Amino acid sequence: MNTPRNHEPPPLRSSSPRFRGHPEMTTLDIQDLRVAVPVRWGSKTILDGVSLTIAPGEALGLVGESGSGKTTSLRAVVGLLPRGATRSGTIHVNGTDIGTLSKAELRRFRGTQTAVVFQDPRAHINPLRSVGDFLLENLVEVQRKPRAEAERTVRGLLVDVGITDPERRMRQKPYELSGGLLQRVMIAAAMAAEPSLLLADEPTTALDVTTQEEVMAILDEQRKARGLAMLFVSHDLDLADAVCDRIAVMKDGRIVEELGAEGLRQQASHDYTKALIAARPRLQVSVPSGRPYDEKPAAAPLLEVAELRKVYRVRPATGTGHEDLVAVDSISFGLPRAGSLAIVGESGSGKSTTARMIVGLAQPTSGRIVVDGDEWQPGRLSSAERRRRGRLVQMVFQDPYSSLDRRQSAQDCLREALAVHGHLPKKQRDQRVAELLDQVGLTAEQGRALPRSLSGGQRQRVAIARALAADPSVLILDEAVSALDVSVQAQVLELLDRIRRELDVALLFISHDLPVVQQISDDVLVMHRGEVVESGAVNDVLSAPREDYTRRLIDSVPREGWQPRRRRTTPAAPDPVEVP
Amino acid sequence: MSAELALSPRRPLLLRRFAGVSPVIVVAGTVLALIVLAALLAPLIAPYDPNAVDLMSPYEGSSPAHWLGTDASGRDILSRLLYGARISLAGPALVIACSMTAGVLLALVAAWCGGKVDAVISRLIEVLFAFPGLILAVVAVAVFGAGFWAPVVALSIAYVPMVARILRSVALRERNLPYVAALQIQGVPAPRIAVRHLLPNLMPMITVQAGIGFAYAMLDLAAISYLGLGLQPPTADWGVMVAEGQSSIIEGYPQESLYAAGAVLVTVVCLNLVSGWVAERYDVRGAEL
């Protein structure tokens, strides 16, 4: 076990004498925590003997894949377990056993000793009340501070988290703030209670990578300045590595290994940890491709997009009438046969809209889409025309849960896709279904299963098989691996790469994830606010970015030796605009 | 985890399916089934002809000969209740069948086409909403005359907006899921997507709506019969029976109204319980997905 590497344990800050601990005491001490939840028949073990301690001022990263029990561990500390869950083992916070607290004491304990920052800030703030109300609530209602003093405190806190105009923000409603700004508000709210333990549950997972860096930098800075202990739950080993003193790796409700954050990769001894490290592609920024990139490659690319533009008519945030929102601004690119091109960008950059226009789910405002020498006319598509295009271009979506009909088994889904593109005799069709399942690495038994009994990765394989049923030349992958755990992600990426090589399918990869893009793609297009800011061979762009935005994007990616830094003094986050 | 999940493999399917269902729901479901069965088998199990008048024995109390007694004309109340169940259940069933079909169709078209089509259908629904069902039924009776059909047709129309509005919002959510987009990209024709994919996924919601609507329709039809605008005496119908028994209450013989009203009450309460249970199960399933 390591000692905190950052600073001396600071004095405990606690406003309630009832819970005050001794300086030598650990801030969080979990011993043999077991949690089970009732399922339809019997119960399911979620935590199977978790023990961990966090010293004052220390940060522990709890890392694992979905279903490993990391979030449940965090929620157990504040008594937020699912209904009907049974719990054994002890949890001490500053020496107080939270199992012995009455309901009222537990509430007070939560309000004064701990603070939680959740993944989705928007789901954890009352949308009808102002940001100021939300921030003042704990100070006024729980800590019984006079209102004027509380307001002063809150203004100070907002400035601390990098919000330059606290008065205006306090008057605003949550929907007027962007996700990154709202997460800063949540951090300020967490600090307001002057807790000694900060619980952060994937606080930046829903944010863009550049925003993630800002928010992480602020969280890290505030935590260190206030000497808080932190339990940091994340699926991202690199990110946890950057902001924590120690890392605990969880799998199936157990902590399989605990490591000091420094030299994590060298120390890792457990197979699972090693696999986790190996599965995540590492961003390499100094390997030029050594091959020329041509903006208009190969005489006749398979897919050619020219001056493509999409303008949405939106209602402005203030005033009446409408204004134009340019989602995609005159972009052009070409994708050669069996090529691999990635479009990277943050949310709102127009990358998904581009994909949707190519498959005909959205109508371009202007511009040309040429596939295999055939210019696709805009306008309402008949299903015959859609079928014709479907045999050339197919798409796989991000969310493996909602991209399959939940009442249809995998093989029925494939049969239907095959039936659309021509009538095969039953025997041949079933043979082709088996072939498709085999191509994406699913067993016949998995083929008979309904989506709900398949994992996220298996579902995504079904979605890929469905796209392949039409035998397309281009496969568009709209964040197709973003929702998957790293180990599953690695397998799906491998599958996609094999499909490209063996079936000569060109991949258009829409993603925000640079390391993944570097692994799967040859060329890359960086989009920012609807425009292409830079394009080229992936390794060239990553090793020698020409544009500041690209550089910022690259610098924000957590990797070995990376530390989050605040790059902006003022939050330049625009108010969110709803795209219809 | 798998060992625990694999518990109770040997129990019969039916028992396993209903394991953990609250006893209240089981009772409500059983009662409903019995009522439907009684309606179907009325000619076989009713002890008397529902319209056989026996002027010598009016207002009899419960006896082995007449389990629930007799009414002012000496007709056997139990037999009238059993026969009454047929028409009292058939009316709402027709209303629900018609309004559900129209409502589902409107909801699917609105959700699929969106834009102007959706706007027109939505406004139409709102206009229809402005007419209370009962008033519409009264107007229909005034125009077409009293009887079975006028109120049924009127209520069928009156219930469409309720059904269509709720299903439209559910269908809209479903329509925007990526799997629908994937089917579109494949080139599956829109009607096929609607019938083969959207409809089955909306089925739980449709079932819930049908259950609640049935209870409402039953109450409304009984009220119309009670007001004398629907079925006419001497037809054996629960609403008619409540109305007919009214005068007997003053004479000190409340049994006819009481039993008929009780039958309506029990049916409606059981239906509400069962459809509420279906809704809850649907929610639980939805959370799993």
Side-chain angles (χ1 to χ4, degrees):
Chain A
M1 207 149 291
N2 293 50
T3 46
R5 69 174 178 204
N6 290 316
H7 40 73
E8 295 292 309
L12 277 174
R13 297 163 68 110
S14 171
S15 51
S16 163
R18 164 78 174 76
F19 307 112
R20 199 183 295 278
H22 302 289
E24 70 271 19
M25 218 167 246
T26 52
T27 302
L28 177 64
D29 183 6
I30 297 179
Q31 288 305 324
D32 197 29
L33 182 63
R34 285 164 201 277
V35 171
V37 292
V39 288
R40 203 130 164 227
W41 307 291
S43 71
K44 184 180 154 194
T45 305
I46 294 185
L47 295 184
D48 191 9
V50 169
S51 301
L52 57 87
T53 58
I54 303 180
E58 189 190 24
L60 174 74
L62 203 53
V63 175
E65 296 188 296
S66 45
S68 61
K70 52 192 195 303
T71 292
T72 306
S73 307
L74 180 141
R75 293 180 79 96
V77 176
V78 273
L80 288 176
L81 289 175
R83 188 179 299 198
T86 53
R87 189 181 76 106
S88 72
T90 58
I91 300 174
H92 285 86
V93 177
N94 293 331
T96 310
D97 183 352
I98 68 152
T100 64
L101 298 179
S102 70
K103 270 196 173 152
E105 284 173 322
L106 184 66
R107 206 159 53 230
R108 182 150 179 79
F109 155 84
R110 276 189 207 137
T112 55
Q113 298 285 293
T114 61
V116 191
V117 179
F118 293 100
Q119 173 172 352
D120 180 7
R122 225 170 277 283
H124 292 92
I125 186 165
N126 185 340
L128 297 177
R129 294 179 56 198
S130 72
V131 169
D133 276 355
F134 168 75
L135 287 164
L136 288 168
E137 195 162 29
N138 179 282
L139 292 174
V140 175
E141 302 296 328
V142 182
Q143 303 189 24
R144 307 255 165 236
K145 293 222 170 107
R147 199 173 168 90
E149 188 196 325
E151 277 183 19
R152 234 184 352 265
T153 314
V154 164
R155 272 198 297 275
L157 286 166
L158 286 176
V159 172
D160 284 349
V161 296
I163 291 176
T164 45
D165 43 358
E167 271 87 7
R168 185 169 80 95
R169 294 304 184 192
M170 281 170 73
R171 280 193 307 272
Q172 284 182 313
K173 295 281 172 63
Y175 61 82
E176 295 175 87
L177 270 59
S178 66
L181 221 42
L182 211 52
Q183 196 60 297
R184 294 173 198 230
V185 169
M186 296 315 248
I187 294 171
M191 301 302 160
E194 297 189 23
S196 53
L197 175 63
L198 180 64
L199 305 162
D201 187 3
E202 305 260 12
T204 58
T205 305
L207 305 177
D208 277 324
V209 64
T210 53
T211 318
Q212 158 168 295
E213 186 180 17
E214 294 281 334
V215 170
M216 269 333 292
I218 287 161
L219 187 70
D220 199 41
E221 180 188 295
Q222 288 296 309
R223 184 187 78 74
K224 285 177 180 155
R226 291 159 193 269
L228 303 188
M230 172 166 80
L231 179 63
F232 183 77
V233 166
S234 179
H235 69 283
D236 190 336
L237 195 59
D238 294 307
L239 183 64
D241 187 18
V243 296
C244 294
D245 304 310
R246 280 184 298 133
I247 305 286
V249 180
M250 275 195 93
K251 183 181 192 287
D252 299 336
R254 285 178 207 185
I255 292 179
V256 297
E257 189 167 22
E258 230 184 271
L259 297 158
E262 248 157 323
L264 179 82
R265 279 157 222 283
Q266 291 72 42
Q267 288 173 26
S269 62
H270 195 279
D271 287 344
Y272 180 70
T273 316
K274 285 184 187 161
L276 213 55
I277 294 170
R280 173 75 189 154
R282 269 197 255 175
L283 192 69
Q284 300 184 337
V285 291
S286 51
V287 276
S289 68
R291 76 182 166 81
Y293 172 79
D294 187 1
E295 297 241 341
K296 291 243 164 62
L302 181 62
L303 167 68
E304 193 187 347
V305 167
E307 298 291 312
L308 196 63
R309 200 173 143 84
K310 177 72 185 176
V311 180
Y312 284 110
R313 201 156 253 210
V314 294
R315 215 172 273 180
T318 53
T320 52
H322 53 75
E323 58 188 33
D324 288 344
L325 178 83
V326 184
V328 176
D329 198 0
S330 304
I331 72 164
S332 306
F333 62 86
L335 175 64
R337 197 169 289 277
S340 173
L341 172 72
I343 303 182
V344 299
E346 298 186 291
S347 49
S349 63
K351 56 190 195 305
S352 281
T353 309
T354 306
R356 292 177 72 83
M357 282 191 284
I358 296 171
V359 291
L361 290 173
Q363 289 290 328
T365 309
S366 64
R368 292 191 312 138
I369 299 168
V370 182
V371 182
D372 214 4
D374 177 18
E375 180 166 349
W376 284 0
Q377 298 307 319
R380 237 189 146 70
L381 300 176
S382 68
S383 40
E385 175 64 15
R386 280 195 188 279
R387 277 196 291 279
R388 197 175 69 79
R389 294 189 183 188
R391 283 192 280 275
L392 287 164
V393 182
Q394 281 289 335
M395 180 154 158
V396 177
F397 297 84
Q398 172 172 9
D399 182 8
Y401 295 86
S402 53
S403 56
L404 299 175
D405 184 344
R406 53 194 176 276
R407 296 182 169 261
Q408 210 175 27
S409 71
Q411 60 185 13
D412 285 345
C413 173
L414 297 182
R415 276 192 198 127
E416 184 175 19
L418 287 171
V420 172
H421 297 289
H423 290 283
L424 286 169
K426 192 180 174 309
K427 204 171 163 200
Q428 253 177 293
R429 194 189 58 191
D430 287 350
Q431 210 175 345
R432 180 86 177 106
V433 167
E435 197 181 299
L436 283 169
L437 287 172
D438 187 51
Q439 255 167 12
V440 297
L442 290 174
T443 64
E445 194 191 340
Q446 285 161 342
R448 284 188 292 273
L450 285 177
R452 68 159 171 267
S453 39
L454 297 176
S455 69
Q458 286 162 351
R459 285 179 228 213
Q460 207 61 320
R461 284 168 193 268
V462 177
I464 293 171
R466 174 181 57 194
L468 291 179
D471 203 8
S473 314
V474 179
L475 197 54
I476 298 181
L477 302 140
D478 189 1
E479 301 275 11
V481 298
S482 305
L484 305 176
D485 281 322
V486 282
S487 58
V488 183
Q489 195 175 57
Q491 292 161 12
V492 173
L493 285 173
E494 200 177 306
L495 168 69
L496 290 171
D497 198 45
R498 215 186 63 221
I499 288 170
R500 177 186 166 204
R501 279 183 285 107
E502 291 176 7
L503 304 177
D504 270 352
V505 175
L507 303 179
L508 181 59
F509 202 83
I510 313 285
S511 181
H512 68 279
D513 193 337
L514 285 176
V516 164
V517 162
Q518 185 173 33
Q519 188 184 339
I520 190 98
S521 300
D522 299 337
D523 298 327
V524 66
L525 218 62
V526 182
M527 280 187 81
H528 184 47
R529 301 199 178 153
E531 289 175 44
V532 175
V533 294
E534 187 163 358
S535 62
V538 164
N539 288 333
D540 293 341
V541 170
L542 290 180
S543 52
R546 290 195 302 270
E547 298 294 322
D548 286 347
Y549 178 73
T550 316
R551 182 163 301 130
R552 220 175 110 47
L553 217 51
I554 297 168
D555 288 346
S556 314
V557 177
R559 51 181 172 262
E560 217 178 340
W562 175 87
Q563 283 291 322
R565 284 191 291 147
R566 280 168 81 167
R567 288 162 206 279
R568 293 185 290 227
T569 43
T570 51
D575 292 339
V577 182
E578 282 299 319
V579 175
Chain B
M1 148 189 170
S2 53
E4 281 149 327
L5 282 176
L7 270 178
S8 66
R10 293 264 172 264
R11 269 200 275 172
L13 187 69
L14 195 73
L15 267 182
R16 220 174 342 147
R17 246 193 123 148
F18 289 97
V21 177
S22 125
V24 177
I25 300 300
V26 175
V27 170
T30 315
V31 169
L32 271 187
L34 286 178
I35 290 171
V36 173
L37 211 63
L40 291 174
L41 301 178
L44 296 177
I45 56 174
Y48 298 90
D49 180 331
N51 294 323
V53 175
D54 181 1
L55 290 173
M56 299 306 289
S57 48
Y59 300 138
E60 270 187 20
S62 297
S63 67
H66 300 282
W67 288 7
L68 300 181
T70 58
D71 68 1
S73 326
R75 292 175 295 192
D76 181 51
I77 292 176
L78 177 63
S79 301
R80 287 182 67 73
L81 273 185
L82 290 172
Y83 273 94
R86 310 186 107 191
I87 205 154
S88 302
L89 294 178
L94 265 173
V95 169
I96 290 311
C98 298
S99 57
M100 280 319 243
T101 310
V104 167
L105 214 65
L106 281 176
L108 284 177
V109 170
W112 187 268
C113 300
K116 291 204 176 92
V117 178
D118 184 25
V120 168
I121 290 178
S122 295
R123 294 301 89 74
L124 192 79
I125 290 172
E126 273 154 29
V127 170
L128 265 177
F129 242 123
F131 290 103
L134 267 179
I135 305 283
L136 202 66
V138 170
V139 172
V141 169
V143 176
F144 300 108
F148 177 73
W149 290 105
V152 165
V153 171
L155 285 185
S156 297
I157 297 169
Y159 282 13
V160 169
M162 179 186 83
V163 174
R165 179 184 270 190
I166 293 173
L167 288 178
R168 176 191 157 270
S169 62
V170 185
L172 203 62
R173 206 191 55 197
E174 195 75 24
R175 191 244 177 282
N176 288 324
L177 290 177
Y179 81 85
V180 176
L183 288 163
Q184 275 184 287
I185 294 172
Q186 294 283 354
V188 181
R192 194 187 147 89
I193 299 181
V195 173
R196 294 290 300 269
H197 295 276
L198 293 184
L199 199 57
N201 281 305
L202 294 182
M203 225 44 216
M205 199 62 206
I206 294 175
T207 316
V208 172
Q209 281 296 305
I212 296 168
F214 194 96
Y216 271 109
M218 186 156 197
L219 284 178
D220 281 354
L221 283 175
I224 291 164
S225 294
Y226 171 80
L227 291 172
L229 299 171
L231 293 158
Q232 299 298 312
T235 315
D237 168 82
W238 295 349
V240 172
M241 286 174 75
V242 175
E244 277 200 305
Q246 218 171 190
S247 50
S248 320
I249 299 176
I250 306 160
E251 315 251 332
Y253 304 105
Q255 64 262 38
E256 187 183 6
S257 288
L258 211 60
Y259 289 133
V264 174
L265 187 76
V266 167
T267 314
V268 167
V269 167
C270 289
L271 256 172
N272 273 331
L273 285 170
V274 171
S275 53
W277 171 73
V278 174
E280 215 170 273
R281 265 180 70 107
Y282 174 51
D283 271 1
V284 170
R285 280 240 198 110
E288 257 176 30
L289 293 166

